[in-house]
Amino acid sequence: PRPFVTTQRCPNPVSFRVDTVEENTALIRWTIPATAVRFEVQYRQQSETFFEPSLFFDAPVDSVQLVDLVACTGYVVRVRSICTNGDSSLFTTRSFGTGGCTCEAPDAFFAAPASVACSTATLTWTVPQGATDFEIEFKPLGSGPWSDITETQGSSLTIEGLESNTAYVARIRTICFGSTTSAYDSTNF
């Protein structure tokens, strides 16, 4: 039997990109494929499940300014072509974060006494607005180099392989949209 092969009759927009991002706006651009006559654009905040209602633009439009965006927030935007025969391409997707962030260190960074075991410790913190990731390092208190940087998301991290009866210091900083970073906050455990 012959293998089942699908062909995409309507090509995706070419070179889809997020060009200029500011506090409340983002400019998206693409190159128009030959058979495309219309484009469908959808966007949403990264924390949301559903996209805003679709926006439709007729060729030769090849850029759109998204407005009224929330400052210091992650977004997902996608676009697809609609061709002369009525077929649609698949969506092409990009992510971006709006500006206006003050990248702050996490609040309430600590290792709870109940979470410190012989060879593990669980660090917790409060996630500030605009955070995308966190960098965490630790070392024995008062000596030695910092551990390798651990990048994580969320609001906790369990460190394993600690020496028993040893005091440690850990430090954390926030990575925000646009790859800006906060100052470090630290805690002893």
Side-chain angles (χ1 to χ4, degrees), residues 44-108:
R44 64 174 171 82
Q45 291 183 14
Q46 285 179 345
S47 61
E48 298 294 327
T49 304
F50 300 105
F51 285 89
E52 297 288 329
S54 294
L55 305 170
F56 292 93
F57 302 93
D58 293 331
V61 171
D62 63 358
S63 65
V64 174
Q65 181 87 13
L66 303 177
V67 297
D68 297 327
L69 303 177
V70 178
C72 196
T73 302
Y75 280 88
V76 176
V77 62
R78 63 187 190 177
V79 64
R80 69 177 174 177
S81 303
I82 300 170
C83 291
T84 51
N85 62 3
D87 286 343
S88 299
S89 71
L90 300 174
F91 277 106
T92 301
T93 305
R94 298 287 180 267
S95 297
F96 67 94
T98 52
C101 297
T102 301
C103 197
E104 297 179 4
D107 291 326

Side-chain angles (χ1 to χ4, degrees), residues 10-39:
C10 187
N12 288 6
V14 181
S15 303
F16 176 49
R17 64 200 176 278
V18 180
D19 243 8
T20 307
V21 179
E22 303 203 6
E23 192 169 320
N24 303 108
T25 63
L27 179 65
I28 61 170
R29 294 183 184 277
W30 60 87
T31 301
I32 301 171
T35 57
V37 293
R38 200 163 202 223
F39 300 94

